[in-house]
Amino acid sequence: MKSTLSTDLRSGALVYHRQPRPGKLEIQATKPLGNQRDLALAYSPGVAAACEAIVDDPAEAAELTSRQNLVAVVTNGTAVLGLGDIGPLASKPVMEGKAVLFKKFAGIDCFDIEVEQKNIEKFVEVVAALEPTFGGINLEDIKGPECFEIEEQLKARMNIPVFHDDQHGTAIIVGAAALNGLDLAGKKIADVKIVVSGAGAAAIACINLLVELGAQRRNIWVSDIDGVVYKGRNTLMDRWKEAYAQDTEARTLDDIIGGADIFLGVSAAGVLKPEMAKRMAPKPLILALANPSPEITPEDALAVRPDAMICTGRSDYPNQVNNVLCFPYIFRGALDVQATTINEAMKLAAVRAIAALAREASSDVAARAYGGETSTFGATSLIPNPFDPRLIMRIAPAVAEAAMTTGVARKPLVDVEAYRDQLSRFVFRSGFIMKPLFQQAKADPKRVIYAEGEDERVLRAAQVALEEGLAVPILIGRPGVIETRIERFGLTLKPGVDFQIVNPEDDPRYRDYVQTYLDIAGRRGITPEAARALVRTNNTVIAALAVARGEADAMITGLEGRFMSRLRHVKDIIGLAPGVCDLAAMTLVITNKGAFFLTDTHVKHDPTAEEIADMTVLTANHVQRFGIDPKIALLSHSDFGAADTPSALKMRRALALIRQRAPHLECDGEMEAGTALVPLIRERVLPSSSLKGMANVLIFPNLDAANVAYQFAKVLADALPVGPILIGTNKPAHILTGSVTARGVVNMTALAVVEAQERAALAAGQ
């Protein structure tokens, strides 16, 4: 089976997997190896102490090795989603991807293991023999019905969690949607008729879990590629399917759909016809999970059944059934109590936790993370968003407690609330910090004008912005050059349809732009002659004028040329926000230790205490846009009055001003970087510090310090930079640097759109 990827997505994915090094995973040491003693402790002779401790007590392996946080993602490649039986080698990119999700969403380390074996017994032997290495096994993309037998045998033989996500992950989310959908419809699960299209691994697991939740087998009707599963059928049958065979003369899906309260589709596109949906019971729940095209589209279903509640597997519709909602957190909870299995009670705990979260009022953090707007519980919000930061804090503890209650936890939690707090701190170290901004940008895309519209990075970013629904791009550049490069890079952008072009050599608004420039900057040294030349030749000036005139909502420039010259144009044309004394720039760096905001990395050479106070308050406002509570450290070479040098005194004065202007901010200083980042050091230096935990906003005394720290983090810590983020402008305007990637342009596009949304909302409120 061949995937239906666009040319751009296919080429982009291949580049993503190839560069800067092949694949998506690497192994990193967690302990220092800086000298001979470190080597002696890590390996011979010191490692013998750890080995002997495990010989004496095997449980010590959980404390002395990485095993308890290590999961194997195992497949034979016989049922890869959307691709079929492509074999173990071709499935490796998918398994690496699954491992990345484990790490990013739940901090779990993974090895992907692709096994060249279709024989059930031999496959089981291979996997069972790996038990000393892993704390858990995630079976992936193994075709049914073999997957049932493999999981059953492995669970019987192994004393660690074994979980086939294709079955149980889907089932858990379906179970949560069913609980909430039936509650909204005023129905009881024991009374409802359930019709299922598809009888593979995921379908059977879903049915089994619905039975665990109270559904009656006599009310469950299954149809697959060979028609209705009925008693006496002898084609395409197995013992798992046989359990749901009905004594009936019905032979097609159309024969059994009438009066159904729930339709569960895990089959193929278009299977559920609108006329079938029309015959379902009042307030039906339709779970059309085939991907990429569901059994019935929400539009077609709602056209004939406006009372229906609909879930799909797609991210562009509400109620997405996405396994990432649960599998990382189920394993997190199981591993953290050293569970010997993932049993039915643990799965049901996950179901109820997910269902309950969909009903919760939005927390302040979640509301900020999704632009101040989160869906309220209802027909279009039966299950949480897959990127809701509260998922790990609800599911992992629920699973851990169920393991403890059922006696499969070898290391029960001592303090569940402390465990929840630990998970909460992980959420914002996960590397998905940009996701909330993308979600908010999609809700109301704004017009973003790109000064370097001919640049490959901008063109690729514009393609992504359109595909993801992030923004409405406007490109400045020569139309012929842009069209040639779109074709060369294999993009599908269509000038005049997908985006607007501003041609600096021939735009009918040229005279209007010149006059606008003179109106704005005529008393700042800009002569009519200079204005005419700049509007014809300087793309940053054109972009800034477009924003100033209201023809674009935000601008991005700086991929080529000097930062400071562009800054001058932005400042002259777009100007400062009310109450701001000058511009500054912060840069977000996303590291494996968390996300850190550095200020001022690009603008103010030697800011005054007043300017530092201003930029700190502005930076805090930007940080909250990411759904993060700012923890601010004013950095210096001095720790809390240890020295009275000019820079230390400046930071001390800045703190006093910040406390006057924004007393609600969690901020302290002056302090050394180590004191800001290591709470234990701060406890020793100043136990009464108002800053608690690790700082995530670092305010530097001058440009040299901030920019050097940013460059070090980017290169040595392999951090992902986002920015520079220009703060203090009257309208959204951002000046990037020549090292930015297409991915970086996309990130800044989302941020600029969110900023534009907030400016528009503020203006409407006034």
Side-chain angles (χ1 to χ4, degrees), residues 189-199 203-223 228-231 240-248 256-257 260-264:
I189 194 167
D191 301 331
V192 297
K193 178 180 179 180
I194 301 170
V195 173
V196 183
S197 175
I204 295 297
C206 289
I207 304 169
N208 289 342
L209 191 60
L210 290 172
V211 170
E212 290 285 340
L213 289 168
Q216 301 298 304
R217 288 178 183 264
R218 65 176 180 271
N219 295 333
I220 298 172
W221 299 75
V222 180
S223 175
V228 172
V229 174
Y230 61 91
K231 288 184 177 179
W240 295 278
K241 208 182 292 187
E242 186 68 43
Y244 296 102
Q246 292 277 14
D247 188 1
T248 178
I256 60 176
I257 194 66
D261 299 280
I262 296 176
F263 169 81
L264 170 62

Side-chain angles (χ1 to χ4, degrees), residues 171-184 187 189 194 210 213 262 285 287 309 311 351 355 359 382-383:
I172 285 165
I173 303 159
V174 164
L179 288 182
N180 283 341
L182 293 176
D183 184 67
L184 283 174
K187 301 175 183 179
I189 194 167
I194 301 170
L210 290 172
L213 289 168
I262 296 176
L285 173 61
L287 297 132
M309 295 166 281
C311 300
V351 170
R359 298 162 174 267
L382 298 175
I383 46 181

Side-chain angles (χ1 to χ4, degrees), residues 269-609:
V271 167
L272 183 66
K273 308 300 180 187
E275 54 270 24
M276 295 182 191
K278 196 171 184 177
R279 290 166 37 222
M280 293 180 69
K283 297 182 180 178
L285 173 61
I286 298 175
L287 297 132
L289 308 185
N291 247 333
S293 301
E295 284 80 2
I296 187 170
T297 66
E299 294 89 346
D300 287 346
L302 291 172
V304 296
R305 293 304 303 264
D307 61 337
M309 295 166 281
I310 306 167
C311 300
T312 71
R314 289 174 45 161
S315 61
D316 53 344
Y317 290 118
N319 293 324
Q320 183 194 13
V321 175
N322 186 334
N323 288 11
V324 82
L325 267 166
C326 66
F327 75 79
Y329 317 124
I330 290 170
F331 269 97
R332 181 74 280 160
L335 294 174
D336 288 340
V337 294
Q338 297 182 24
T340 58
T341 187
I342 294 174
N343 58 27
E344 292 304 310
M346 295 160 75
K347 287 186 279 186
L348 292 174
V351 170
R352 295 190 173 100
I354 294 168
L357 179 57
R359 298 162 174 267
E360 282 189 32
S362 299
S363 68
D364 292 341
V365 170
R368 284 201 307 272
Y370 290 92
E373 295 183 7
T374 53
S375 300
T376 55
F377 177 61
T380 59
S381 189
L382 298 175
I383 46 181
N385 186 293
F387 293 93
D388 192 315
R390 298 169 293 173
L391 282 164
I392 190 172
M393 294 179 279
R394 300 294 188 275
I395 298 173
V399 169
E401 288 184 288
M404 292 157 56
T405 301
T406 55
V408 298
R410 285 177 288 200
K411 187 182 179 183
L413 299 173
V414 176
D415 186 336
V416 176
E417 286 307 312
Y419 178 57
R420 286 195 179 96
D421 184 60
Q422 173 188 329
L423 295 171
S424 175
R425 290 198 301 272
F426 166 79
V427 167
F428 295 113
R429 298 199 308 270
S430 66
F432 279 92
I433 189 172
M434 288 301 300
K435 191 63 186 182
L437 273 77
F438 277 72
Q439 293 291 109
Q440 187 177 345
K442 291 178 183 181
D444 182 19
K446 299 294 183 183
R447 300 164 299 170
V448 178
I449 188 164
Y450 302 86
E452 291 86 6
E454 298 175 3
D455 191 287
E456 177 183 357
R457 293 165 291 179
V458 167
L459 292 170
R460 291 194 180 279
Q463 176 89 39
V464 174
L466 283 166
E467 288 180 351
E468 296 290 324
L470 298 174
V472 180
I474 304 170
L475 307 185
I476 301 176
R478 295 161 293 177
V481 174
I482 290 174
E483 291 180 35
T484 298
R485 292 183 177 177
I486 286 174
E487 185 176 355
R488 182 194 307 166
F489 303 140
L491 306 178
T492 57
L493 295 165
K494 293 182 177 59
V497 177
D498 296 324
F499 66 95
Q500 176 189 344
I501 294 178
V502 176
N503 182 1
E505 296 179 346
D506 183 23
D507 190 284
R509 296 166 295 183
Y510 169 71
R511 295 181 188 277
D512 295 336
Y513 272 44
V514 170
Q515 188 58 52
T516 300
Y517 197 10
L518 289 171
D519 293 343
I520 292 172
R523 291 183 178 273
R524 298 181 195 148
I526 298 299
T527 65
E529 184 178 350
R532 285 192 291 271
L534 286 168
V535 172
R536 185 71 77 190
T537 61
N538 192 303
N539 289 8
T540 298
V541 168
I542 297 170
L545 287 168
V547 173
R549 288 166 56 87
E551 295 170 3
D553 302 302
M555 66 170 282
I556 291 176
T557 185
L559 282 79
E560 301 167 2
R562 296 178 180 272
F563 184 95
M564 295 308 294
S565 64
R566 281 158 174 70
L567 181 71
R568 186 163 55 250
H569 295 311
V570 168
K571 188 174 179 179
D572 283 348
I573 297 169
I574 290 181
L576 305 177
V580 174
C581 62
D582 206 351
L583 300 179
M586 73 173 184
T587 301
L588 164 62
V589 290
I590 304 172
T591 75
N592 59 5
K593 297 290 185 183
F596 300 92
F597 298 84
L598 283 52
T599 303
D600 172 8
T601 53
H602 287 79
V603 176
K604 299 297 293 183
H605 172 65
D606 189 16
T608 65

